[in-house]
Amino acid sequence: MAESTEQHGPLEQFEVKSLVDMHLGGLDVSFTNSSAWMVLAIILATLLLTLSMSGRAMVPGRWQSISELCYEFVANMVRDNVGSEGRKYFPFIFTLFVFILFSNILGMLPYSFTTTSHIIVTFALAFVVFLGVTVIGFLKNGLGFLKLFVPSGVPVALMPLLVVIEVISYFIRPISLSVRLFANMMAGHTMLKVFGGFVISLGLLLGWAPLVFLVALTGLEIGIAFLQAYVFTILTCLYLHDALHPGH
Amino acid sequence: MTDPNNGTSESARRKSLEDLDKRLKTARGQSPDSAHGGKSRASGSNSGVAVAWRISIELAVAIGVCAAIGIGLDTWLGTKPWLLVVFIVLGFAAGVRNVYRIAQKVAAEMEEEEKSSDRGA
């Protein structure tokens, strides 16, 4: 895809480079630039949330407002989509939201690495959600969880076909969840790089047109960074709701 | 959050928060009972874009994954191309089912929102 003859191909930014080589029983567990940016996202998120809340003022300042806004945003999302039983799972969902949001936003920095633009990262996140939701579903409802796969009020003749479709659509979830985030981040960042290349190659005379577009695109990408974190989280909430109430 | 009496029980804490919520709502000149029935601002941002992102990938992924399963099973069982055909149809159905489910939920939310805004006015 990327022309290797070119100095900076648009896909070069997605290259995973090993920073500290580590091997564990034949497995390559090196600390890569991807790991580094993930760690940075976690550190920054922790710092922002703890430092801004350290005042615990009744009337919040700017930084505390940011934290409270995040908290309330996710808390409302959980309450509206999962219900009051979802309160228990709020910490996980909040962590998920903040991690994805910070990874996406950090990816918007020049020279940074977007961890969420790799499908294995998003798939790992989605798979944890999928496994967790399935386990919760079975723990809470026992075998009644299987009711999720049996739509109510359909003729018996159609039942086997519909059950197969429901099962497939259930197992598609982690994949569509991960592909959505990964494809959006990857496509957006590739576009940014491609238009950045246009600016350079068209030079001073004509390069302004793609530059204007690039500015708009950057704004759009920041919007998408938020939107995709929101979409990932809200779908997690919906899946959790299904696990807690499999009847409908 | 900024709750001073951390040691008290969950229900008492909730009550005090609800009380605070009520006072805030009245201070803002809203009726207090529309607070919990109405949708919060967060889910109110269930904008068309967010829904579109959710739906669009759903269909494509369902078909793609099922096609991959079909091809895999075909090469494994030597039944080219029949399982591929079957699984693409199943994948399409599963994708439509997922899209339908999301659409249903969004429609229900919109209806509820309309109802609560009617009641509020």
Side-chain angles (χ1 to χ4, degrees):
Chain A
M1 288 272 256
E3 305 309 315
S4 49
T5 48
E6 225 179 275
Q7 200 91 53
H8 291 288
L11 295 181
E12 211 173 85
Q13 53 173 330
F14 301 120
E15 198 184 331
V16 176
K17 296 183 202 97
S18 170
L19 298 181
V20 182
D21 279 316
M22 280 191 281
H23 292 275
L24 196 77
L27 283 175
D28 187 7
V29 288
S30 306
F31 190 78
T32 60
N33 53 349
S34 178
S35 338
W37 283 97
M38 277 186 230
V39 170
L40 191 65
I42 294 169
I43 290 175
L44 280 182
T46 315
L47 280 183
L48 175 72
L49 291 174
T50 49
L51 288 184
S52 62
M53 287 311 291
S54 61
R56 286 172 195 272
M58 203 59 201
V59 178
R62 283 196 193 91
W63 290 99
Q64 193 178 336
S65 276
I66 295 177
S67 297
E68 288 186 359
L69 213 65
C70 276
Y71 176 95
E72 262 170 42
F73 182 69
V74 180
N76 285 334
M77 197 168 12
V78 172
R79 198 189 61 215
D80 291 343
N81 292 294
V82 190
S84 53
E85 313 95 309
R87 289 164 64 89
K88 255 190 286 180
Y89 308 105
F90 170 77
F92 173 71
I93 292 173
F94 185 69
T95 311
L96 198 64
F97 175 74
V98 170
F99 178 69
I100 295 173
L101 183 63
F102 269 75
S103 300
N104 290 353
I105 295 290
L106 279 179
M108 290 308 296
L109 293 175
Y111 298 106
S112 73
F113 180 88
T114 322
T115 47
T116 41
S117 67
H118 279 257
I119 188 148
I120 189 63
V121 175
T122 59
F123 184 73
L125 290 172
F127 198 68
V128 168
V129 169
F130 176 74
L131 271 189
V133 162
T134 310
V135 168
I136 289 168
F138 275 115
L139 283 183
K140 291 270 164 184
N141 306 291
L143 286 178
F145 181 54
L146 294 176
K147 263 192 291 187
L148 186 68
F149 302 118
V150 186
S152 53
V154 280
V156 184
L158 276 174
M159 204 53 113
L161 184 64
L162 285 176
V163 169
V164 170
I165 290 173
E166 290 287 337
V167 169
I168 290 178
S169 76
Y170 186 76
F171 280 96
I172 295 280
R173 281 172 175 185
I175 300 168
S176 63
L177 196 57
S178 53
V179 166
R180 189 180 296 109
L181 178 56
F182 140 78
N184 272 295
M185 298 321 287
M186 168 130 173
H189 283 262
T190 311
M191 281 248 281
L192 284 179
K193 272 278 150 61
V194 167
F195 275 90
F198 284 168
V199 175
I200 302 297
S201 60
L202 287 177
L204 264 180
L205 219 55
L206 286 168
W208 297 103
L211 185 64
V212 169
F213 190 78
L214 198 60
V215 171
L217 201 61
T218 309
L220 180 74
E221 278 306 309
I222 293 175
I224 284 179
F226 277 99
L227 190 68
Q228 287 305 321
Y230 166 70
V231 167
F232 196 100
T233 326
I234 201 165
L235 283 173
T236 306
C237 289
L238 292 181
Y239 296 162
L240 196 57
H241 178 265
D242 276 354
L244 296 173
H245 317 274
H248 38 129
Chain B
M1 288 192 297
T2 57
D3 195 45
N5 40 344
N6 252 331
T8 49
S9 67
E10 178 83 343
S11 63
R13 213 178 119 198
R14 247 190 114 176
K15 212 170 161 190
S16 85
L17 278 179
E18 259 160 32
D19 181 50
L20 179 66
D21 190 44
K22 211 175 274 174
R23 276 185 290 151
L24 276 173
K25 285 274 147 55
T26 38
R28 283 178 189 148
Q30 289 177 352
S31 69
D33 53 14
S34 78
H36 277 278
K39 287 281 164 178
S40 58
R41 203 166 30 127
S43 84
S45 72
N46 206 340
S47 61
V49 193
V51 176
W53 281 123
R54 267 156 65 185
I55 288 183
S56 57
I57 301 268
E58 208 74 59
L59 201 60
V61 166
I63 296 175
V65 168
C66 281
I69 294 174
I71 291 174
L73 284 178
D74 265 342
T75 47
W76 183 42
L77 299 170
T79 51
K80 266 202 172 111
W82 298 111
L83 284 179
L84 174 63
V85 174
V86 170
F87 269 91
I88 283 185
V89 172
L90 282 179
F92 182 72
V96 170
R97 178 80 187 97
N98 274 345
V99 169
Y100 178 69
R101 196 181 282 141
I102 295 174
Q104 226 175 3
K105 181 129 177 75
V106 172
E109 256 163 41
M110 278 164 83
E111 209 164 88
E112 206 169 286
E113 221 159 88
E114 239 162 60
K115 223 180 274 172
S116 68
S117 71
D118 280 354
R119 203 181 38 194

